[in-house]
Amino acid sequence: MARNTARPLSPHLTIWKWGPHMTVSILNRMMGVGLATVGVLALTLWLVALASGPEAYKDFMDLATGWFGYVVAVGLSFAFFLHLCAGLRHFVMDAGAGFELVTNRMWAWGSIIAPVLLTAGLWLFIFWGMI
Amino acid sequence: MGSGTGLGRVRGLGSAKSGSHHWWQQRVTAVGNILLVLWFIISMVRLPVADHAAMVAWLASPWAAVPMALLIINVFWHFRLGLQVVIEDYVHGGMRIFTLGLLHVWTFGMGAYALFSIFKIAFTGAPA
């Protein structure tokens, strides 16, 4: 779309001091895109391999339980938990609550820290079960 | 009438009235995703063995196949709405049309493969 360069632009991203609410916002979007691409591909390949028979499933699981598979799986679990926590934060803000500066900052940090703990907890539980 | 100005409505530049519907569906599918994906993660972690026979036996049960099909529909619906907003924010002009088309192919293509695989196992796998 052509822009009239004689007109001023409204102040945008560059004038704001970066804060946790902006971090969780862009992380939420990035994790959503990651889940919709890498996550959907992994989930669909898993189902197709499962429906294709034991050989195809073994090939999939060999890849999934190698170092590459674990990196993707840990990444996807973190992406899910962050998208979950940031989404729950959105539900509160959609109701018009939690916009006070201190409250908003606290829940923004919470939405970043909680997924780290949840991811660590999930994988500790998985490996605990394997031992 | 929409919430645009009178002039905007006359010019056909007012609200298309699909924005709040899009927004609301995003929230409804988000709630569904919380339940379905947590169910999926807990089910996976609780399975004692992860070999092919055990997985097929699990997914062949109606108690797994139906929630799994619902998960695919709900998750794919949610990500299609979300990626559409991302594309509309960052991609412009002809590329936007192309990328939105690609999003449709991705959503319905992968969705069809996922659902077909679930139903194949559900209808031909070991009985529950």
Side-chain angles (χ1 to χ4, degrees), chain B residues 19-116:
Chain B
S20 54
H21 181 62
H22 186 286
W23 186 91
W24 181 246
Q25 283 193 316
Q26 185 95 66
R27 266 65 188 173
V28 171
T29 52
V31 175
N33 278 345
I34 297 173
L35 301 171
L36 290 163
V37 179
L38 284 180
W39 161 80
F40 177 66
I41 292 176
I42 292 167
S43 299
M44 284 297 105
V45 171
R46 279 171 54 91
L47 275 183
V49 279
D51 63 2
H52 183 258
M55 278 294 173
V56 167
W58 173 74
L59 194 53
S61 159
W63 298 105
V66 171
M68 199 65 204
L70 288 175
L71 181 147
I72 295 297
I73 294 167
N74 203 71
V75 165
F76 280 50
W77 195 339
H78 182 81
F79 90 64
R80 208 214 72 88
L81 293 169
L83 278 192
Q84 182 190 334
V85 175
V86 174
I87 290 168
E88 287 170 350
D89 277 355
Y90 302 130
V91 188
H92 306 288
M95 265 310 281
R96 175 185 289 184
I97 309 286
F98 175 76
T99 318
L100 286 172
L102 207 61
L103 173 59
H104 267 287
V105 175
W106 177 253
T107 308
F108 288 96
M110 296 304 266
Y113 267 105
L115 286 176
F116 176 85

Side-chain angles (χ1 to χ4, degrees), chain A residues 26 29 33 36-37 40-41 43-44 46-48 50-51 53-54 57 80 83-84 88 90-91 94 122 125-126, chain B residues 23 27 30-31 34 37 41 45 50 52 55 59 72 76 79 83 85-86 89-90 106 110 117-118 120-121:
Chain A
I26 195 63
R29 181 163 271 203
V33 172
T37 52
V40 161
L41 183 67
L43 179 64
T44 307
W46 177 70
L47 284 168
V48 169
L50 197 57
Y57 189 69
F80 168 72
H83 210 65
L84 173 67
L88 290 171
H90 259 282
F91 280 137
D94 288 345
L122 174 70
F125 183 82
I126 288 171
Chain B
W23 186 91
R27 266 65 188 173
V31 175
I34 297 173
V37 179
I41 292 176
V45 171
H52 183 258
M55 278 294 173
L59 194 53
I72 295 297
F76 280 50
F79 90 64
L83 278 192
V85 175
V86 174
D89 277 355
Y90 302 130
W106 177 253
M110 296 304 266
S117 301
I118 294 167
K120 184 183 178 224
I121 292 166

Side-chain angles (χ1 to χ4, degrees), chain A residues 5 14 18-19 25 39 63-64 67 71 91 102-103 105 109 111-112:
Chain A
T5 49
T14 49
W18 196 266
S25 174
L63 189 65
W67 69 268
V71 168
F91 280 137
V102 175
T103 312
R105 176 175 289 264
W109 275 117
S111 304
I112 299 168

Side-chain angles (χ1 to χ4, degrees), chain A residues 54-64:
Chain A
E55 294 83 15
Y57 189 69
K58 189 186 174 300
D59 289 344
F60 179 89
M61 288 310 285
D62 285 346
L63 189 65

Side-chain angles (χ1 to χ4, degrees), chain A residues 10 15 22 41 56 74 96 112 126:
Chain A
S10 61
I15 71 156
M22 294 156 87
L41 183 67
V74 171
I112 299 168
I126 288 171

